[in-house]
């Protein structure tokens, strides 16, 4: 199990680029910003302009993401972003990026659903 985890970790780092918050901010408006957390997490607060395609639904919904444009992924910390990137890579997506530290490290503008 430990070996599998290590291989997965290094593979994910190879197929997607880790971006600092500053790098993420600089490019996410020109990319497809995808929040791969579950809907209840998304409604609790998300980066302004993000689309919610949970990793649990990605297998059915990946065609909503254009393969010819950069994809910026984020989740709560980075685990689900890695799984999403692996799935997208298998489907032919190449320009995959993720937010270092995930949403919990984001200090920029967010949108939350008001009750």
């Amino acid at each position: 199990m430990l070996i599998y985890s290590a291989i997965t970790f290094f593979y994910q780092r190879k197929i997607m680029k880790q971006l600092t918050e500053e790098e993420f901010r600089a490019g996410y408006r020109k990319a497809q910003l995808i929040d791969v957390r579950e809907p209840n997490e998304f409604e609790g607060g998300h980066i302004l302009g993000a689309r919610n395609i949970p990793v649990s639904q990605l297998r059915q919904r990946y065609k909503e993401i254009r393969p010819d444009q950069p994809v910026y992924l984020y989740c709560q910390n980075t685990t689900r972003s890695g799984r999403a990137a692996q799935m997208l890579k298998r489907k032919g997506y190449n320009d995959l990026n993720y937010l270092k530290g995930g949403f919990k490290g984001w200090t920029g503008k967010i949108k939350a659903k008001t009750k």
Side-chain angles (χ1 to χ4, degrees):
M1 186 65 179
L2 188 60
I3 293 170
Y4 174 77
S5 296
I7 291 169
T8 300
F9 174 83
F10 288 112
Y11 176 68
Q12 289 174 356
R13 296 305 172 261
K14 181 180 173 192
I15 64 168
M16 63 182 189
K17 183 177 179 190
Q18 174 179 277
L19 302 175
T20 64
E21 184 173 345
E22 294 75 32
E23 293 168 326
F24 200 85
R25 278 181 209 256
Y28 82 90
R29 286 190 176 89
K30 298 178 194 119
Q32 301 170 91
L33 180 58
I34 311 296
D35 183 326
V36 296
R37 299 176 302 156
E38 292 302 312
N40 61 323
E41 294 172 289
F42 182 79
E43 289 172 7
H46 59 272
I47 298 173
L48 210 53
R51 278 190 292 159
N52 185 220
I53 302 178
V55 75
S56 62
Q57 298 174 13
L58 193 58
R59 207 178 253 43
Q60 295 80 30
R61 296 181 58 193
Y62 76 91
K63 289 183 180 175
E64 295 175 32
I65 304 168
R66 292 180 53 171
D68 61 332
Q69 292 182 346
V71 179
Y72 279 43
L73 301 166
Y74 74 92
C75 61
Q76 198 63 25
N77 49 36
T78 58
T79 307
R80 289 176 278 182
S81 296
R83 288 202 316 258
Q86 284 181 284
M87 242 184 272
L88 291 172
K89 182 70 177 171
R90 283 193 297 271
K91 299 293 185 183
Y93 294 77
N94 292 309
D95 195 349
L96 301 169
N97 307 274
Y98 75 99
L99 175 61
K100 179 182 178 182
F103 183 71
K104 71 179 180 183
W106 179 255
T107 61
K109 290 185 179 179
I110 64 166
K111 181 175 182 176
K113 191 172 188 176
T114 53
K115 301 221 186 274

